[in-house]
Amino acid sequence: MIKILVVDDEVSIVKLLQFNLEKSGFQVATAFDGKQALEMVKSEQPDFLILDLMLPKMDGMDVCKTLRQERNNIPILMLTAKDDELDKILGLELGADDYLTKPFSPREVVARVKAILRRYQITPEVGDSPEHAVITLGEIRIYPEKYEVYRNEDKIELTPKEFELLHYLANHQGRVLTRDQLLNAVWNYDFIGDSRIVDVHVSHLREKLEDDTKNPRYIKTVRGLGYKLEG
Protein backbone atom coordinates (compact mmCIF):
# COMPACT_ATOMS: atom_id res chain seq x y z
CA MET A 1 0.00 0.00 0.00
CA ILE A 2 1.30 3.43 -0.93
CA LYS A 3 2.04 5.60 2.11
CA ILE A 4 1.43 9.34 1.92
CA LEU A 5 2.76 11.83 4.45
CA VAL A 6 0.43 14.84 4.83
CA VAL A 7 2.08 17.92 6.35
CA ASP A 8 -0.04 20.92 7.35
CA ASP A 9 -0.40 22.90 10.55
CA GLU A 10 -4.19 23.15 10.10
CA VAL A 11 -5.64 20.07 11.81
CA SER A 12 -8.92 20.31 9.88
CA ILE A 13 -7.11 20.15 6.55
CA VAL A 14 -4.98 17.22 7.68
CA LYS A 15 -8.07 15.28 8.80
CA LEU A 16 -9.92 16.10 5.57
CA LEU A 17 -7.04 14.92 3.41
CA GLN A 18 -6.42 11.86 5.56
CA PHE A 19 -10.07 10.80 5.28
CA ASN A 20 -10.20 11.20 1.49
CA LEU A 21 -6.81 9.60 0.85
CA GLU A 22 -7.56 6.60 3.04
CA LYS A 23 -10.94 6.28 1.33
CA SER A 24 -9.01 6.07 -1.96
CA GLY A 25 -6.84 3.23 -0.67
CA PHE A 26 -3.73 5.05 0.55
CA GLN A 27 -2.02 4.68 3.90
CA VAL A 28 -1.61 8.09 5.54
CA ALA A 29 0.85 9.48 8.07
CA THR A 30 0.60 13.06 9.33
CA ALA A 31 2.89 15.84 10.53
CA PHE A 32 2.20 19.42 11.61
CA ASP A 33 5.48 21.30 11.18
CA GLY A 34 8.47 21.26 8.87
CA LYS A 35 10.99 19.69 11.23
CA GLN A 36 8.61 16.89 12.11
CA ALA A 37 8.05 16.33 8.39
CA LEU A 38 11.76 15.79 7.74
CA GLU A 39 12.02 13.42 10.69
CA MET A 40 9.02 11.41 9.49
CA VAL A 41 10.30 11.18 5.94
CA LYS A 42 13.31 9.36 7.39
CA SER A 43 11.45 7.26 9.97
CA GLU A 44 8.26 6.46 8.02
CA GLN A 45 9.79 6.36 4.52
CA PRO A 46 6.58 7.50 2.80
CA ASP A 47 6.07 7.11 -0.93
CA PHE A 48 4.56 10.57 -1.40
CA LEU A 49 4.58 13.93 0.38
CA ILE A 50 1.75 16.48 0.49
CA LEU A 51 3.44 19.56 1.87
CA ASP A 52 1.97 22.88 2.95
CA LEU A 53 4.00 25.97 2.11
CA MET A 54 3.45 27.85 5.37
CA LEU A 55 4.55 25.68 8.30
CA PRO A 56 5.93 26.37 11.79
CA LYS A 57 9.57 25.65 12.66
CA MET A 58 10.55 25.13 9.00
CA ASP A 59 8.46 26.16 6.01
CA GLY A 60 7.56 23.93 3.11
CA MET A 61 10.09 25.54 0.77
CA ASP A 62 12.95 24.67 3.13
CA VAL A 63 11.64 21.13 3.63
CA CYS A 64 11.50 20.62 -0.14
CA LYS A 65 14.94 22.16 -0.63
CA THR A 66 16.46 20.00 2.11
CA LEU A 67 15.02 16.79 0.68
CA ARG A 68 16.27 17.53 -2.81
CA GLN A 69 19.72 18.49 -1.51
CA GLU A 70 19.79 15.10 0.21
CA ARG A 71 18.94 13.57 -3.20
CA ASN A 72 15.61 12.34 -1.91
CA ASN A 73 13.32 12.22 -4.96
CA ILE A 74 10.06 11.55 -3.11
CA PRO A 75 7.15 12.99 -5.12
CA ILE A 76 5.98 16.28 -3.60
CA LEU A 77 2.62 18.00 -4.02
CA MET A 78 2.86 21.45 -2.47
CA LEU A 79 -0.12 23.27 -0.94
CA THR A 80 -0.23 27.04 -0.70
CA ALA A 81 -2.76 29.52 0.65
CA LYS A 82 -1.08 32.24 -1.40
CA ASP A 83 -2.32 32.88 -4.90
CA ASP A 84 1.15 34.12 -5.77
CA GLU A 85 2.76 32.84 -8.95
CA LEU A 86 6.24 33.54 -7.59
CA ASP A 87 5.64 31.11 -4.71
CA LYS A 88 4.44 28.47 -7.14
CA ILE A 89 7.40 28.96 -9.46
CA LEU A 90 9.84 28.87 -6.54
CA GLY A 91 8.29 25.65 -5.26
CA LEU A 92 8.76 24.03 -8.65
CA GLU A 93 12.30 25.36 -8.88
CA LEU A 94 13.11 23.71 -5.55
CA GLY A 95 11.87 20.35 -6.81
CA ALA A 96 8.15 20.09 -6.07
CA ASP A 97 6.27 18.08 -8.70
CA ASP A 98 3.04 20.04 -8.56
CA TYR A 99 1.11 22.52 -6.44
CA LEU A 100 -2.45 23.35 -5.42
CA THR A 101 -3.76 26.65 -4.12
CA LYS A 102 -6.12 26.63 -1.13
CA PRO A 103 -9.05 26.26 -0.98
CA PHE A 104 -9.07 23.04 -2.99
CA SER A 105 -11.31 20.06 -3.55
CA PRO A 106 -10.13 16.89 -1.74
CA ARG A 107 -11.06 14.97 -4.88
CA GLU A 108 -8.67 17.15 -6.87
CA VAL A 109 -5.89 16.42 -4.38
CA VAL A 110 -6.47 12.68 -4.80
CA ALA A 111 -6.50 13.07 -8.59
CA ARG A 112 -3.23 15.03 -8.54
CA VAL A 113 -1.61 12.44 -6.27
CA LYS A 114 -2.62 9.61 -8.59
CA ALA A 115 -1.41 11.50 -11.67
CA ILE A 116 2.01 12.18 -10.14
CA LEU A 117 2.35 8.58 -8.93
CA ARG A 118 1.58 7.31 -12.42
CA ARG A 119 4.51 9.33 -13.73
CA TYR A 120 6.81 7.87 -11.09
CA GLN A 121 5.65 4.30 -11.46
CA ILE A 122 5.26 3.90 -15.22
CA THR A 123 7.08 0.72 -16.22
CA PRO A 124 5.79 -0.25 -19.67
CA GLU A 125 7.01 -3.45 -21.23
CA VAL A 126 10.06 -3.02 -23.40
CA GLY A 127 9.24 -3.54 -27.05
CA ASP A 128 10.64 -2.84 -30.44
CA SER A 129 8.61 0.32 -31.02
CA PRO A 130 10.51 3.61 -31.28
CA GLU A 131 8.89 4.96 -28.11
CA HIS A 132 10.74 2.26 -26.12
CA ALA A 133 14.07 2.50 -27.90
CA VAL A 134 17.09 3.90 -26.12
CA ILE A 135 17.74 7.47 -27.29
CA THR A 136 21.37 8.57 -27.55
CA LEU A 137 22.40 12.22 -27.66
CA GLY A 138 26.17 12.57 -27.51
CA GLU A 139 27.09 11.47 -23.98
CA ILE A 140 23.43 11.24 -22.94
CA ARG A 141 21.39 8.02 -23.05
CA ILE A 142 17.64 8.07 -22.37
CA TYR A 143 15.85 4.85 -21.38
CA PRO A 144 12.11 5.55 -21.79
CA GLU A 145 11.00 2.19 -20.41
CA LYS A 146 12.90 2.77 -17.17
CA TYR A 147 12.45 6.54 -16.83
CA GLU A 148 16.25 6.72 -16.53
CA VAL A 149 18.89 8.99 -18.04
CA TYR A 150 22.65 8.45 -18.04
CA ARG A 151 25.55 10.67 -18.96
CA ASN A 152 28.34 8.28 -19.88
CA GLU A 153 28.13 5.81 -16.96
CA ASP A 154 26.62 8.23 -14.44
CA LYS A 155 22.90 8.10 -13.76
CA ILE A 156 21.26 11.55 -13.77
CA GLU A 157 18.51 11.99 -11.21
CA LEU A 158 15.50 13.65 -12.84
CA THR A 159 12.01 14.32 -11.55
CA PRO A 160 9.22 12.74 -13.64
CA LYS A 161 8.37 16.09 -15.24
CA GLU A 162 12.01 16.74 -16.10
CA PHE A 163 12.19 13.30 -17.68
CA GLU A 164 8.98 13.76 -19.64
CA LEU A 165 10.16 17.12 -20.95
CA LEU A 166 13.54 15.71 -21.97
CA HIS A 167 11.92 12.67 -23.58
CA TYR A 168 9.51 14.82 -25.56
CA LEU A 169 12.31 17.10 -26.76
CA ALA A 170 14.37 14.02 -27.69
CA ASN A 171 11.51 12.53 -29.68
CA HIS A 172 11.40 15.78 -31.67
CA GLN A 173 15.15 16.19 -31.92
CA GLY A 174 16.20 19.11 -34.10
CA ARG A 175 12.70 20.62 -34.20
CA VAL A 176 11.89 23.95 -32.63
CA LEU A 177 9.12 23.51 -30.08
CA THR A 178 7.26 26.49 -28.68
CA ARG A 179 6.63 26.82 -24.96
CA ASP A 180 2.90 26.37 -25.57
CA GLN A 181 3.56 23.15 -27.48
CA LEU A 182 5.62 21.86 -24.57
CA LEU A 183 2.97 22.92 -22.06
CA ASN A 184 0.29 21.05 -23.99
CA ALA A 185 2.43 17.94 -24.44
CA VAL A 186 4.04 17.60 -21.01
CA TRP A 187 1.68 19.40 -18.61
CA ASN A 188 -1.89 18.16 -18.63
CA TYR A 189 -3.60 20.89 -16.65
CA ASP A 190 -3.52 24.36 -15.08
CA PHE A 191 -0.36 25.71 -16.66
CA ILE A 192 -1.54 26.73 -20.13
CA GLY A 193 -0.26 30.22 -20.80
CA ASP A 194 2.30 30.12 -17.99
CA SER A 195 5.43 29.53 -20.04
CA ARG A 196 7.72 30.12 -17.07
CA ILE A 197 6.96 26.57 -15.95
CA VAL A 198 8.74 25.35 -19.09
CA ASP A 199 11.64 27.73 -18.56
CA VAL A 200 12.10 26.51 -14.97
CA HIS A 201 12.27 22.87 -16.03
CA VAL A 202 14.57 23.59 -18.96
CA SER A 203 16.87 25.38 -16.51
CA HIS A 204 16.85 22.32 -14.24
CA LEU A 205 17.64 20.01 -17.14
CA ARG A 206 20.53 22.19 -18.25
CA GLU A 207 22.00 22.18 -14.75
CA LYS A 208 21.95 18.39 -14.80
CA LEU A 209 22.95 17.74 -18.40
CA GLU A 210 25.19 20.56 -19.53
CA ASP A 211 28.82 21.41 -18.74
CA ASP A 212 28.12 25.08 -19.40
CA THR A 213 24.53 26.18 -18.82
CA LYS A 214 25.20 29.56 -20.46
CA ASN A 215 26.42 27.85 -23.62
CA PRO A 216 24.35 24.64 -23.72
CA ARG A 217 25.28 21.79 -26.01
CA TYR A 218 21.98 19.92 -25.92
CA ILE A 219 18.98 22.13 -25.14
CA LYS A 220 19.12 25.23 -27.31
CA THR A 221 17.01 28.35 -26.89
CA VAL A 222 15.50 29.68 -30.11
CA ARG A 223 14.83 33.30 -29.27
CA GLY A 224 11.23 34.35 -29.65
CA LEU A 225 10.09 30.79 -30.34
CA GLY A 226 11.05 28.15 -27.79
CA TYR A 227 13.55 25.31 -27.50
CA LYS A 228 15.08 22.51 -29.51
CA LEU A 229 17.22 19.52 -28.56
CA GLU A 230 20.38 18.76 -30.49
CA GLY A 231 22.54 15.66 -30.27
Side-chain angles (χ1 to χ4, degrees):
M1 184 181 293
I2 292 172
K3 182 188 291 187
I4 298 176
L5 176 59
V6 177
V7 188
D8 198 303
D9 61 336
E10 296 184 53
V11 176
S12 60
I13 289 179
V14 171
K15 289 183 176 180
L16 180 65
L17 291 177
Q18 183 173 12
F19 173 80
N20 283 274
L21 289 166
E22 289 179 344
K23 187 178 177 181
S24 298
F26 297 106
Q27 182 180 353
V28 179
T30 60
F32 299 92
D33 64 64
K35 288 188 176 180
Q36 185 185 18
L38 287 177
E39 292 169 358
M40 291 188 68
V41 167
K42 293 179 181 178
S43 63
E44 297 286 333
Q45 296 187 337
D47 303 294
F48 195 101
L49 180 60
I50 297 178
L51 181 66
D52 188 34
L53 175 64
M54 302 300 292
L55 292 169
K57 298 185 180 179
M58 177 184 288
D59 67 28
M61 293 290 192
D62 286 336
V63 172
C64 183
K65 182 178 180 180
T66 298
L67 289 172
R68 295 313 188 221
Q69 287 176 340
E70 294 175 350
R71 303 181 70 81
N72 187 324
N73 286 322
I74 183 174
I76 298 175
L77 173 61
M78 189 164 281
L79 307 178
T80 173
K82 297 181 178 180
D83 190 15
D84 188 333
E85 290 186 359
L86 291 178
D87 285 325
K88 298 168 185 176
I89 296 294
L90 181 56
L92 293 168
E93 285 181 338
L94 291 174
D97 295 276
D98 202 350
Y99 67 83
L100 272 175
T101 302
K102 298 177 182 178
F104 48 75
S105 161
R107 292 177 62 184
E108 184 177 7
V109 174
V110 173
R112 295 286 184 100
V113 168
K114 289 180 178 179
I116 294 170
L117 284 171
R118 281 196 298 270
R119 298 198 292 266
Y120 270 76
Q121 296 173 342
I122 288 175
T123 54
E125 294 182 5
V126 180
D128 295 327
S129 62
E131 66 187 78
H132 294 139
V134 177
I135 301 171
T136 301
L137 303 160
E139 300 172 344
I140 306 299
R141 299 192 313 282
I142 303 170
Y143 294 84
E145 78 282 0
K146 298 179 182 178
Y147 262 47
E148 292 180 354
V149 177
Y150 287 81
R151 180 174 177 178
N152 293 324
E153 301 306 316
D154 297 323
K155 185 178 179 181
I156 299 172
E157 298 293 341
L158 300 181
T159 68
K161 269 296 181 242
E162 289 167 0
F163 181 90
E164 290 176 18
L165 177 58
L166 178 62
H167 188 210
Y168 189 80
L169 286 166
N171 279 335
H172 299 81
Q173 186 178 165
R175 285 180 52 187
V176 178
L177 299 170
T178 67
R179 290 170 175 82
D180 284 341
Q181 283 177 305
L182 293 169
L183 281 167
N184 279 305
V186 181
W187 283 265
N188 298 323
Y189 43 72
D190 284 357
F191 298 115
I192 301 304
D194 190 353
S195 63
R196 287 177 298 175
I197 301 295
V198 175
D199 297 335
V200 165
H201 283 74
V202 167
S203 177
H204 285 176
L205 284 174
R206 283 175 171 163
E207 289 174 1
K208 296 177 179 182
L209 298 176
E210 306 280 3
D211 289 323
D212 182 358
T213 57
K214 294 182 179 180
N215 186 29
R217 170 183 175 184
Y218 297 107
I219 305 176
K220 307 284 190 178
T221 300
V222 182
R223 186 166 297 181
L225 293 175
Y227 298 101
K228 69 174 178 178
L229 191 71
E230 295 183 350

